[in-house]
Amino acid sequence: MESEPRPGIYRHFKGGKYLVFWVSTDVESGEQGVEYSSLYGPHVGKHARRPLKNFLEEVDRPELNYKGPRFRSMESFEKMVTNLKLLLPKICGRETSADPGDGSEANPLWGHCAVVALLTQDLFGGELLRASLDGTPFADMRSHYWNQLPGGMELDLTAPQFGDNYPIGLQPETRTRSYVLSNPDTKARYELLKQKFTKAKPPE
């Protein structure tokens, strides 16, 4: 394993999977730590920090018949995002769109920003961003959602729905998960999309 783990998915020797974002340095102590979020069970999306030395160390656990690295790299962050971008058009459809009348096979992500942002938050944690579409060619859609990952990186997986006319200059505000899911239609579409995502994921 490299001295500084690259962003990506790592498996703990006990089986849990984590998404590593970066290595940070404490301004007072100078101690380096690995910032990550959980990708399993009830801990999904929870952010944590572990000392770099502890993250990189080898463990010897005879009772578990294991000797090796505490965390083992599985997949890079870039590859995970690329795979998600390839998968979303296959699982998004009229039944998961907020505007199924305008949806088409040529634009499967149309009307999916809120539910895809919720699904992305499930995987990576972070914040939900929302901006008004008033004054844009897409004003009928009212608003657009995307994600801000821990550390500040923004990720908009439904940007392709706008084609070459992505609305420039959007002024986002954060919205809570409970706020987005308070809409019964959004909640139903999100739950359906999550089911389709789970079924579509290749077996490990």
Side-chain angles (χ1 to χ4, degrees):
M1 185 179 292
E2 299 178 9
S3 59
E4 288 197 6
R6 291 175 55 81
I9 302 175
Y10 289 74
R11 186 186 295 277
H12 188 269
F13 73 93
K14 291 183 179 180
K17 291 194 295 184
Y18 300 85
L19 175 63
V20 168
F21 294 104
W22 66 86
V23 174
S24 63
T25 302
D26 187 281
V27 294
E28 295 184 357
S29 68
E31 180 189 61
Q32 290 187 298
V34 179
E35 308 280 347
Y36 62 88
S37 65
S38 301
L39 295 175
Y40 70 97
H43 306 293
V44 169
K46 291 185 177 180
H47 185 266
R49 185 178 190 272
R50 181 185 290 260
L52 177 62
K53 181 179 179 180
N54 178 268
F55 187 94
L56 296 174
E57 72 180 355
E58 299 279 316
V59 297
D60 187 0
R61 298 290 295 273
E63 71 276 17
L64 299 177
N65 193 31
Y66 180 82
K67 183 177 182 179
R70 182 178 296 276
F71 289 90
R72 189 181 300 275
S73 177
M74 297 179 61
E75 184 178 348
S76 70
F77 175 74
E78 292 83 359
K79 183 178 179 182
M80 186 178 184
V81 171
T82 297
N83 289 341
L84 187 56
K85 287 180 178 179
L86 293 173
L87 178 61
L88 284 173
K90 299 178 181 178
I91 63 175
C92 291
R94 295 176 62 87
E95 69 276 18
T96 50
S97 174
D99 188 19
D102 288 336
S104 68
E105 293 183 2
N107 193 1
L109 296 180
W110 181 259
H112 282 82
C113 63
V115 294
V116 167
L118 287 165
L119 180 63
T120 303
Q121 189 183 51
D122 287 340
L123 299 173
F124 302 130
E127 302 285 349
L128 299 171
L129 299 180
R130 176 190 180 275
S132 171
L133 291 175
D134 288 346
T136 76
F138 307 98
D140 288 346
M141 293 293 289
R142 299 180 58 187
S143 63
H144 180 56
Y145 281 91
W146 66 99
N147 298 82
Q148 184 175 58
L149 306 185
M153 174 185 173
E154 294 187 13
L155 184 62
D156 188 346
L157 293 177
T158 58
Q161 71 177 311
F162 299 113
D164 295 330
N165 299 307
Y166 189 91
I168 304 299
L170 296 179
Q171 300 297 317
E173 298 178 340
T174 59
R175 287 291 185 268
T176 66
R177 189 176 181 86
S178 59
Y179 172 87
V180 183
L181 288 172
S182 65
N183 183 307
D185 176 69
T186 300
K187 182 178 181 180
R189 291 186 296 106
Y190 157 69
E191 291 176 346
L192 177 57
L193 183 67
K194 189 172 183 178
Q195 290 176 14
K196 296 175 71 173
F197 171 76
T198 301
K199 291 179 181 179
K201 289 174 63 178
E204 297 184 14

